[in-house]
């Protein structure tokens, strides 16, 4: 069987974040609960002129640097923050990035796990025709009610992966194990723009899906716990990865694991997620990006990966990091993007949160905020209007501050998002 896997990977997250110390002060909560109890420091906040399309287009554009667009057979967009019941968000991304008309484009859904379902389909597609490449982009705005327990686990961002028979970063193993069950741990009805969640129950279901899919993976592959050098988990909050890893180790590592081993095996994958919050479909692949871009020496090392989507579906799978992978990473661009972000005061966060597009079909223009290369300009005649606004490098080099932004609170609720 031909080697297939990830040729390129790129992360995009909005220019704004809320420090969870700021949120803790506003909610009268001990910040340690967020920083240590949940393992989150910052959560990315999408301004009203960013959505899953603009975030995806930014991630895809960078992932495709140096790749011939004519080789791209398919663009898949995984999301649970859909913007239309019929038209795929992937079509807008296809157009913004300038992919050829021969490239297919569609959207995928099964909560946070649809990205992995897309990758498995992409692997089959590339196996069938190794000259073809697939771009899978996972993009979401994780959104819970203000003041709810889920709020500190919000976040936003997109991860784009180029899947090909030239896997410069990670070659996937052919085996995987999966688990599907009809449960109501987390969902979002069409009439809501915030998730409904049974938080404690969702953690129990996550852990069950992990052990069940791990068992199937072990049966299929014959591999054991110690056959994986590092582990990456779907991370709604980074402590969830610790809970998951300890759960897995409890019955699959006979000698157990020490605190140091726990840290070694998952810490490097947690760093970026701590700084952006939950990316839903992109969360596992943000963890993989964080691991690959860490100081760990990963050449020829196997990584175990667990993808979880509420509702629910879990998939355990693995891949081997390729020799020389460091030469193909976008580490500097990612660090620069994370460092250049704007720390929001609480009031501005709440204004952005409350700024939703009109729900009655009327036209609206969005205010200009700091974005990447693309922005949502508004809605006209029930159609979403996107525009290209400048080079990402230029924008990341700009020095901006919230004071310079002057986000007008009283007007924000009339401006759009989603
Ligand atoms: N200092 C340090 N730690 C503290 C603390 C303090 N002052 N106060 C509390 N803590 C600790 C608690 O002990 C707890 O740690 P343990 O889990 O190790 O016991 C942790 O902080 C969280 O505290 P609570 O359990 O009291 O938190 P909560 O009830 O307010 O909410 C949550 C936690 C249920 C995860 C909530 O944030 C939530 O509903 N999040 C959204 C749902 C979610 O992320 N579910 C995960 C699985 S589902 C999934 O993975 C799909 C997806 O992407 C959504």
């Amino acid at each position: 069987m031909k080697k297939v896997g990830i040729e390129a990977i790129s992360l995009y997250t909005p220019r704004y974040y809320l420090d969870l110390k700021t949120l803790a002060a506003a909610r009268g909560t001990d910040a340690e609960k967020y920083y240590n109890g949940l393992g989150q420091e910052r959560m990315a906040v999408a301004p009203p002129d960013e959505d899953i399309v603009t975030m995806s287009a930014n991630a895809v554009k960078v992932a495709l640097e140096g790749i011939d667009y004519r080789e791209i057979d398919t663009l898949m967009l995984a999301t649970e923050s859909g913007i239309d019941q019929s038209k795929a968000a992937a079509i807008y991304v296809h157009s913004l990035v300038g992919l050829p008309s021969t490239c297919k484009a569609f959207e995928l859904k099964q909560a946070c796990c649809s990205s992995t379902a897309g990758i498995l389909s992409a692997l089959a597609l590339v196996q069938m025709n190794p000259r073809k490449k697939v771009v899978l982009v996972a993009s979401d705005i994780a959104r819970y009610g203000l003041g709810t327990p889920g709020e500190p686990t919000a976040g936003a961002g997109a991860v784009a992966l180029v899947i090909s028979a030239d896997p410069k970063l990670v070659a996937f193993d052919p085996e995987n194990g999966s688990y599907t069950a009809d449960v109501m741990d987390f969902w979002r009805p069409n009439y809501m723009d915030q998730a409904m969640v049974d938080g404690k129950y969702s953690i129990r279901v996550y852990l069950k899906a992990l052990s069940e899919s791990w068992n199937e993976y072990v049966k299929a592959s014959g591999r054991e716990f110690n056959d994986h050098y590092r582990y990456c988990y779907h991370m709604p909050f980074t402590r969830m990865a610790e809970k998951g890893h300890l759960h897995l180790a409890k019955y699959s590592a006979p000698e157990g694991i020490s605190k140091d081993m726990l840290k070694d095996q998952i810490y490097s994958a947690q760093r970026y997620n701590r700084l952006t919050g939950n990316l839903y479909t992109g969360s596992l692949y943000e963890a993989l990006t964080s691991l690959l871009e860490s100081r760990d020496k990963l050449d020829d090392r196997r990584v175990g990966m667990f993808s979880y989507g509420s509702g629910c579906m879990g998939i355990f799978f693995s891949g081997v990091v390729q020799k020389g992978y460091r030469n193909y990473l976008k580490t500097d661009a990612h660090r620069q993007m994370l460092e250049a972000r704007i720390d929001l005061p609480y009031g501005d966060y709440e204004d952005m949160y409350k700024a939703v597009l009109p729900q009655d079909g009327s036209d609206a223009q969005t205010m200009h905020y700091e974005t990447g290369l693309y922005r949502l300009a508004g809605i006209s005649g029930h159609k979403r209007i996107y525009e290209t606004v400048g080079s990402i490098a230029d924008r990341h080099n700009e020095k901006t501050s919230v004071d310079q932004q002057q986000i007008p609170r009283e007007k924000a609720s009339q401006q759009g998002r989603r």
Side-chain angles (χ1 to χ4, degrees), residues 9-13 51-53 55-57 59-60 75-81 93 106-108 111-119 135-141 156-162 278-286 307:
I9 194 163
S10 157
L11 165 71
Y12 177 82
T13 191
D51 68 2
I52 54 162
V53 168
M55 296 191 301
S56 293
V60 170
L75 169 68
M76 299 180 188
L77 191 153
T79 190
E80 51 186 308
S81 322
V93 178
F106 55 89
E107 192 169 314
L108 300 160
C112 306
C113 204
S114 60
S115 43
T116 303
I119 285 175
V135 180
L136 181 286
V137 60
S139 181
D140 273 301
I141 297 175
V159 183
L161 301 98
V162 180
N278 196 353
L279 263 53
Y280 284 165
T281 48
S283 163
L284 170 63
Y285 300 98
E286 180 184 37
S307 183

Side-chain angles (χ1 to χ4, degrees), residues 28-47:
T29 302
D30 181 357
E32 284 304 300
K33 173 175 174 179
Y34 298 159
Y35 266 55
N36 292 326
L38 296 173
Q40 290 307 120
E41 288 175 34
R42 297 173 176 183
M43 62 192 211
V45 179

Side-chain angles (χ1 to χ4, degrees), residues 30 33 37 112 144 149 153 199-200 202 234 236 239 243 278 310:
D30 181 357
K33 173 175 174 179
C112 306
Y144 301 89
T153 65
K200 296 281 182 331
S202 71
H234 168 63
R239 278 288 315 288
K243 286 178 194 289
N278 196 353
S310 289

Side-chain angles (χ1 to χ4, degrees), residues 222-242:
R223 289 185 203 104
E224 295 174 1
F225 188 81
N226 290 331
D227 291 328
H228 306 86
Y229 184 64
R230 294 285 184 263
Y231 283 82
C232 289
Y233 289 87
H234 168 63
M235 266 188 267
F237 50 95
T238 66
R239 278 288 315 288
M240 190 68 232
E242 284 169 39

Side-chain angles (χ1 to χ4, degrees), residues 82 84-85 109 187-194 196 359:
D84 194 292
Q85 289 286 3
K109 178 163 71 182
W187 67 105
R188 183 168 69 82
N190 284 344
Y191 49 83
M192 292 185 70
D193 70 356
Q194 304 157 6
M196 307 280 299
Q359 302 297 300

Side-chain angles (χ1 to χ4, degrees), residues 129-150:
N129 189 342
R131 279 179 300 128
K132 294 187 171 177
K133 298 185 180 186
V134 177
V135 180
L136 181 286
V137 60
S139 181
D140 273 301
I141 297 175
R143 187 172 158 89
Y144 301 89
L146 290 176
T148 63

